[in-house]
Amino acid sequence: MNEIQGTQLIHKYLRHNKKFPHVFCPGCGHGIVLGSLVRSIDALGLAKDDVCIVAGIGCSGRLAVYVDFNTVHTTHGRALTFATGIKMARPEMNVIVVMGDGDSMAIGGNHLIHAARRNIGVTALILNNNIYGMTGGQCSPTTPSGSFSMTSPYGQMEQSFDCVELCRAAKANYVARGSVFHVNELDKMVTEAISNPGFGVVEIMTPCFTQFGRKNKYKSPVEMFNYLKKNVISQERYNDLSESDRDGKIPSGVFVKKSEPGIEEKYYAMARQVQEGI
Amino acid sequence: MSVKRKGKSKVTIFPDWCKGCGICAAFCPSKVMELSEQGKAVVVREEECVHCGFCELHCPDFAIMVQPKEDKEEINPKLSTNKSLDNKEQSSSATESSSGTSSSQVKEDN
Ligand SMILES: Cc1ncc(C[n+]2csc(CCOP(=O)(O)OP(=O)(O)O)c2C)c(N)n1
Ligand code: SF4
Ligand code: SF4
Ligand code: SF4
C-alpha cells in the first residue's frame, strides 16, 4: 500500500453540520462501509453533484445522511424504486443505493429481483448484518439458521437467503460479496460496481454487535471482526474446500461481471430511434 | 517495507469521535494503541507504527489518522476541537455512544 488517504479524505465528503460522531454503535461495520463508499467515489474522480445516494430505512439507511452528495433517505424497502426513477430521468447520474439485508431482501425483496432482471444501471450496496438492526434485532432473511435473535430466542428455524445466488439468478450484471474486515478488496468491488454498466450488487458482510453479536457467541465487537477475518474467504479457496469444511464459511469476490447495457441505455437508444423515425 | 517505515509515522486519535470499539487496538500489528480506562483508544507506542493503514481504514468512526512524521500539514481543524462542529449536538451524542451502545439513539429515528 503506498499512499493512505483515509480519514483526511473522508472528511472532505462528510456533512460536518450533521451530528458527529455518527449514530452507529461502537464497532458497527456501517461506518467502515461509509469510508469505502467515499474512497471509491473519490478514486473514480466523480464530482459530488454527479452522485446520488439513495438509502432505505434502517441503520444502514443513515449512511445517506452523513455524506455531501445528492441524497435521498427513502421509505423501508423502496430505495430501489426511487433509484430506478432517478436513473431513468437522469441517466448520466451515478446512482448508488444503500440498503440493509432486511430492507433489500425482506420488504424490498421483489424490487431487488426486478431491478436485477431489468438491469437498471444503479449500484446496490447491501449491508448484510444478519439482523434488523434499527428496530431491535428481529430476525431477517439472512439470519443464519440456528442463530439467536429477538424473535428467534430458541434459534432461527428458517433457511436464509444467499444474496449472491439470488442476484445472479435474477440476472444482475455485476454481483460481488465482500466484508468490512477485507477493506481493500471491498474498495475494489465498490469501485468496479459503480463503473460497470447495468445493475451492480455488492453484498457487504458487516457486523452488528448490538443486536446480533450479543445474542450469539460474540462477546465484543472485536470478536465479530475476528469472525469475518476467519470465515469470509475467497471463492477460489472456498471451492477447494470439501463439502464439510465449507460449513459456516462465506465465499467472497466477484461472482458475475457482464457488460450488458442497462435498461436506461436501451430506453434512450430506443427513444432516439423513434424520434428520428418521425 | 515494514522495517523501513517503522518509526516514521504520526498516529492521531480524535477522542471526540472515538467510541472505544477496540478494533484498532486489537488488530494493529504493532500494538500501537490501547484502550484507556475511559474507553477511548490512546496511542502508546507510536514509534512502533509501520504505517500499514489498517487502523485508519477500519476505524468505523474516522477517528484515527496516520501521517508521515515529516508531513507538517495541519490536521483538519474541524476535528482537533469541538468548537467548529455543532457543539451541543456533538457532545451529547458523544457521551451517549461512549456509555456502551447507542442503539437507543438509533431507535429514535425509526
Ligand atoms: C413499511 C415499514 N415497515 C417497517 C418499518 C420498521 N423498520 C424500520 S428499520 C427496519 C429494519 C431495518 O433492518 P435492515 O434493513 O436489515 O437494516 P439495519 O438496521 O440492520 O441496517 C424496520 C422493519 C418501517 N420503517 N417501514
Ligand atoms: S444496531 Fe447494529 S446495525 Fe444498528 S448501528 Fe448498532 S451495531 Fe450498527
Ligand atoms: S477503531 Fe476508532 S472508534 Fe474504535 S477504538 Fe479505535 S479509534 Fe476508537
Ligand atoms: S497504521 Fe498500522 S501499525 Fe500504524 S497504528 Fe495503524 S494499524 Fe498500527
Side-chain angles (χ1 to χ4, degrees):
Chain A
M1 197 185 308
N2 28 34
E3 271 330 292
I4 301 149
Q5 282 221 311
T7 304
Q8 275 169 303
L9 169 75
I10 285 155
H11 282 280
K12 272 189 1 205
Y13 290 88
L14 295 182
R15 289 177 175 159
H16 286 275
N17 58 347
K18 290 285 165 186
K19 284 189 195 183
F20 275 101
H22 54 52
V23 76
F24 308 129
C25 308
C28 174
H30 291 5
I32 304 178
V33 179
L34 177 58
S36 185
L37 174 64
V38 163
R39 283 190 299 273
S40 303
I41 290 172
D42 187 78
L44 289 169
L46 307 179
K48 285 183 183 179
D49 282 347
D50 293 340
V51 176
C52 181
I53 308 286
V54 185
I57 297 287
C59 302
S60 42
R62 299 287 306 191
L63 236 76
V65 177
Y66 296 115
V67 278
D68 191 20
F69 302 113
N70 301 288
T71 55
V72 199
H73 194 184
T74 70
T75 49
H76 192 39
R78 300 300 184 273
L80 279 169
T81 55
F82 283 85
T84 301
I86 294 166
K87 186 70 185 179
M88 289 308 283
R90 296 284 298 274
E92 73 286 0
M93 193 77 121
N94 295 280
V95 183
I96 303 168
V97 184
V98 180
M99 298 174 284
D101 46 316
D103 209 33
S104 60
M105 282 179 271
I107 187 168
N110 223 357
H111 299 301
L112 178 64
I113 297 169
H114 292 286
R117 177 182 66 78
R118 288 186 181 123
N119 203 26
I120 176 80
V122 306
T123 308
L125 305 185
I126 297 184
L127 278 55
N128 184 356
N129 56 8
N130 297 125
I131 204 88
Y132 282 166
M134 183 176 277
T135 42
Q138 299 89 344
C139 61
S140 85
T142 58
T143 306
S145 301
S147 57
F148 302 97
S149 73
M150 190 69 98
T151 47
S152 53
Y154 304 109
Q156 166 71 308
M157 289 178 287
E158 300 168 3
Q159 304 178 64
S160 56
F161 261 146
D162 181 328
C163 179
V164 166
E165 291 305 318
L166 190 72
C167 296
R168 190 211 305 259
K171 302 273 193 303
N173 244 4
Y174 184 91
V175 184
R177 180 191 283 130
S179 98
V180 294
F181 186 82
H182 306 89
V183 175
N184 290 315
E185 288 89 339
L186 181 64
D187 284 11
K188 282 193 206 114
M189 290 174 198
V190 176
T191 312
E192 198 170 58
I194 297 173
S195 45
N196 204 59
F199 189 57
V201 187
V202 186
E203 180 190 14
I204 306 170
M205 304 308 295
T206 163
C208 169
F209 171 70
T210 308
Q211 303 294 7
F212 184 81
R214 284 193 299 186
K215 289 196 186 59
N216 292 284
K217 51 183 187 270
Y218 310 103
K219 294 195 177 64
S220 65
V222 169
E223 286 190 29
M224 300 231 50
F225 281 83
N226 272 320
Y227 163 81
L228 291 179
K229 182 182 179 184
K230 183 159 161 264
N231 290 297
V232 178
I233 58 173
S234 72
Q235 51 179 326
E236 292 79 16
R237 263 182 69 199
Y238 182 85
N239 293 338
D240 287 342
L241 292 176
S242 68
E243 201 68 38
S244 57
D245 288 341
R246 285 183 186 173
D247 198 32
K249 296 277 188 262
I250 303 166
S252 71
V254 180
F255 293 82
V256 180
K257 188 173 184 327
K258 296 181 288 184
S259 45
E260 304 289 320
I263 183 92
E264 73 290 350
E265 291 180 55
K266 291 196 204 165
Y267 173 84
Y268 280 99
M270 184 190 71
R272 235 175 291 125
Q273 254 183 13
V274 172
Q275 278 166 352
E276 280 160 16
I278 287 171
Chain B
M1 169 197 110
S2 319
V3 183
K4 259 198 270 162
R5 288 186 158 204
K6 198 161 149 180
K8 293 193 175 155
S9 307
K10 179 171 163 40
V11 184
T12 314
I13 294 178
F14 306 109
D16 288 348
W17 285 25
C18 167
K19 291 178 188 159
C21 66
I23 297 171
C24 54
F27 293 102
C28 168
S30 313
K31 303 275 163 266
V32 170
M33 278 84 55
E34 277 174 14
L35 283 188
S36 72
E37 276 176 24
Q38 287 77 39
K40 301 273 180 183
V42 284
V43 179
V44 287
R45 277 177 287 273
E46 185 171 66
E47 67 288 355
E48 296 293 316
C49 172
V50 293
H51 208 128
C52 68
F54 186 98
C55 57
E56 192 162 1
L57 291 176
H58 289 80
C59 173
D61 284 274
F62 316 119
I64 303 186
M65 197 163 73
V66 186
Q67 290 169 293
K69 266 198 178 131
E70 311 83 82
D71 192 350
K72 292 280 185 303
E73 207 182 310
E74 267 294 290
I75 53 170
N76 187 343
K78 284 188 172 161
L79 284 172
S80 51
T81 148
N82 253 348
K83 282 175 200 132
S84 54
L85 295 173
D86 188 329
N87 224 335
K88 245 192 309 168
E89 279 188 355
Q90 202 211 11
S91 48
S92 71
S93 65
T95 349
E96 211 172 315
S97 43
S98 57
S99 64
T101 73
S102 55
S103 57
S104 56
Q105 206 184 333
V106 175
K107 278 185 195 163
E108 277 170 28
D109 279 86
N110 149 43

